[in-house]
């Protein structure tokens, strides 16, 4: 008998109906907004943090890299944990943990204490995306997942924008850079309690034929059968099983490429606007908000609808649309980053278009993985996807761009001119190339996604 794909998993409400999909999506979106708000706080108040702790730029880099690396490494075991226990528990306790460590960052008085608090935030936040991605995939069928996930991912641009708009003002109002960290933790604790009370659907509840399988394949009150079911789930969640899915290789390449480009832009856009285009800090922040925040909102809102419409045609259509968007992102970002010092409009227009097309990919990543990975493996697969993306992109992107910038900053120019030219050239080379690599990954995934989905559904229904 096939393993049940529709058994509710909430220990608090074992017989109750699952929580409404819209309510769960809205609640998880708020948690994701807090995720990116808390993540952005150190960047907003970086200068007073550097001054209080007497940091140099190397220590600042270590602080940022540690967060990303820890989040990447912790995501794999926490993703696999969410394949074995209720996903709302993993996401809710993760939110509670990162909120507690965010508050600790506003209290601890040494650099290493603050460093440890950011490591704790990274561990907590790494639990959220794998668990919530799997949960949302059981609330919405394949042809509606991109729109649902795009709404969930709006927490990224909105949370980041809110941090930039409010954290500085809170620090000034309370005359302390620590105040935003303490204040941000309060809604985190409240939302965590609500997430812990979510009544989950069964795994695979949104897949074709789930209702019929639920009727024929209920978990029996037989201890031997229960043990077999658990061991089968443990075997199915292994890394070896995930890597047998061919389209996962293309997805891993795509996620790494996208994150490389996105983190490079997020880290160095403001500096290049100041160094090369001569903007003030306020002006560079405004332009950066347009390029990253406004276009991020538009790209996710439009991309979710576009990708779901493609998914109704075929599983691979959604992947190809995302691939073409990434290819367009490579072209437009190159056009923007080649803008000369008297053509700021060119950078704003074309880099905005590139970022808009690139972020459409985020509305495809989790739904495509959910199309090809068995429900009891999805959190582990998403943990692997985020780990590779953060390790190679989130951590590697800024480091490699910085190294290339330093290497290219030479010639007979002044030090400031060399620094400006080096950074601009480094971004001009790496960002379009990374978007192009991501597009190649999605095109590769599109070649095998149909077969992988059919194989996944066949295994799910085989007696």
């Amino acid at each position: 008998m096939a393993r049940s794909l529709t058994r509710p998993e909430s220990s608090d409400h074992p017989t109750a109906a699952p929580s409404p999909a819209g309510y769960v999506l809205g609640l998880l979106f708020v948690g994701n907004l807090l995720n990116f708000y808390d993540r952005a706080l150190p960047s907003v108040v970086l200068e007073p943090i550097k001054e209080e702790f007497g940091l140099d730029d190397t220590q600042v880099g270590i602080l940022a890299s540690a967060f990303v690396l820890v989040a990447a490494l912790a995501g794999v075991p926490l993703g696999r944990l969410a394949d074995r226990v209720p996903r709302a528990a993993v996401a809710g306790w993760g939110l509670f943990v990162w909120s507690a460590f965010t508050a600790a960052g506003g209290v601890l008085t040494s650099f290493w204490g603050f460093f440890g608090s950011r490591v704790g935030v990274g561990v907590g936040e790494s639990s959220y995306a794998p668990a919530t991605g799997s949960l949302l995939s059981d609330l919405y069928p394949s042809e509606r997942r991109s729109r649902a996930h795009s709404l969930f991912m709006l927490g990224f641009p909105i949370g980041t924008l809110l941090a930039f708009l409010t954290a500085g003002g809170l620090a000034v109002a309370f005359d302390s850079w620590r105040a935003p960290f303490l204040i941000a933790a309060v809604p985190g604790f409240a939302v965590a309690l609500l997430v812990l009370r979510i009544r989950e659907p069964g795994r695979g509840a949104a897949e074709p034929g789930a209702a019929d399988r639920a009727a024929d394949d209920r978990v029996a009150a037989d201890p031997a059968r229960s043990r077999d079911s658990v061991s089968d789930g443990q075997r199915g969640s292994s890394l070896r099983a995930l890597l047998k899915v061919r389209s996962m290789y293309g997805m891993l390449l795509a996620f790494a490429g996208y994150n490389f480009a996105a983190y490079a832009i997020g880290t160095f856009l403001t500096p290049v606007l100041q160094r090369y285009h001569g903007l003030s800090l306020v002006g560079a922040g405004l332009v950066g908000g347009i390029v990253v925040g406004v276009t991020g909102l538009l790209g996710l809102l439009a991309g979710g609808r576009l990708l779901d419409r493609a998914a109704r045609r075929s599983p691979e259509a959604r992947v190809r649309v995302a691939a073409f968007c990434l290819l367009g992102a490579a072209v437009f970002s190159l056009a923007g980053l080649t803008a000369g010092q008297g053509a700021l409009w060119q950078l704003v227009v074309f880099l905005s278009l590139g970022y808009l097309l690139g972020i459409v990919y985020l509305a495809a990543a989790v739904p495509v993985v959910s199309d090809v990975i068995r429900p009891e493996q999805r959190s582990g697969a998403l943990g692997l996807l985020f780990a590779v993306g953060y390790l190679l992109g989130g951590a590697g992107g800024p480091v490699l761009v910085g190294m290339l910038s330093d290497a290219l900053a030479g010639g007979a120019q002044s030090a400031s001119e060399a620094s400006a030219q080096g950074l601009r050239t480094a971004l001009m080379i790496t960002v379009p190339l990374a978007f192009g690599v991501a597009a190649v990954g999605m095109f590769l995934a599109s070649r095998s996604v149909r077969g992988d989905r059919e194989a996944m559904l066949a295994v799910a229904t085989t007696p």
Side-chain angles (χ1 to χ4, degrees), residues 67-77 122 126 383 386-391:
F67 174 89
V68 176
L69 289 172
V70 168
L73 295 175
V76 174
S126 67
F386 286 109
V388 171
Y390 288 147
L391 283 172

Side-chain angles (χ1 to χ4, degrees), residues 320-386:
R320 287 175 183 155
V321 169
F324 280 114
C325 286
L326 287 166
L327 192 60
V331 174
F332 283 118
S333 63
L334 178 62
L337 291 168
T338 55
Q341 290 180 319
L344 180 61
W345 67 268
Q346 180 182 333
L347 180 140
V348 174
V349 170
F350 288 104
L351 188 58
S352 294
L353 288 172
Y355 197 88
L356 186 152
L357 288 173
I359 207 170
V360 169
Y361 162 77
L362 288 183
V366 172
V368 173
V369 171
S370 299
D371 275 349
V372 300
I373 299 295
R374 293 170 60 184
E376 66 270 21
Q377 297 175 321
R378 283 176 184 161
S379 292
L382 292 172
L384 175 65
L385 183 74
F386 286 109

Side-chain angles (χ1 to χ4, degrees), residues 165-219:
L165 290 174
T166 63
L170 288 172
V172 171
F174 288 90
D175 195 26
S176 172
W177 63 263
R178 299 174 180 276
F181 291 83
L182 296 170
I183 294 170
V186 176
F189 293 135
V191 175
L193 293 175
L194 294 175
V195 171
L196 288 169
R197 295 189 59 81
I198 289 175
R199 301 187 303 275
E200 296 188 20
R203 297 183 193 265
E207 298 302 336
D212 293 337
R213 289 195 296 275
D216 296 336
D217 190 30
R218 299 184 187 280
V219 176

Side-chain angles (χ1 to χ4, degrees), residues 120-193:
V121 172
V123 172
E125 292 188 355
S126 67
S127 69
Y128 199 72
T132 55
S134 173
L135 179 54
L136 287 174
S137 294
D138 287 333
L139 290 168
Y140 295 91
S142 176
E143 66 275 9
R144 295 176 59 196
R145 284 178 189 152
S146 285
R147 185 182 180 193
H149 196 69
S150 70
L151 294 173
F152 170 77
M153 282 305 300
L154 285 175
F156 167 31
I158 294 176
T160 303
L161 276 176
L162 284 176
F164 276 90
L165 290 174
T166 63
L170 288 172
V172 171
F174 288 90
D175 195 26
S176 172
W177 63 263
R178 299 174 180 276
F181 291 83
L182 296 170
I183 294 170
V186 176
F189 293 135
V191 175
L193 293 175

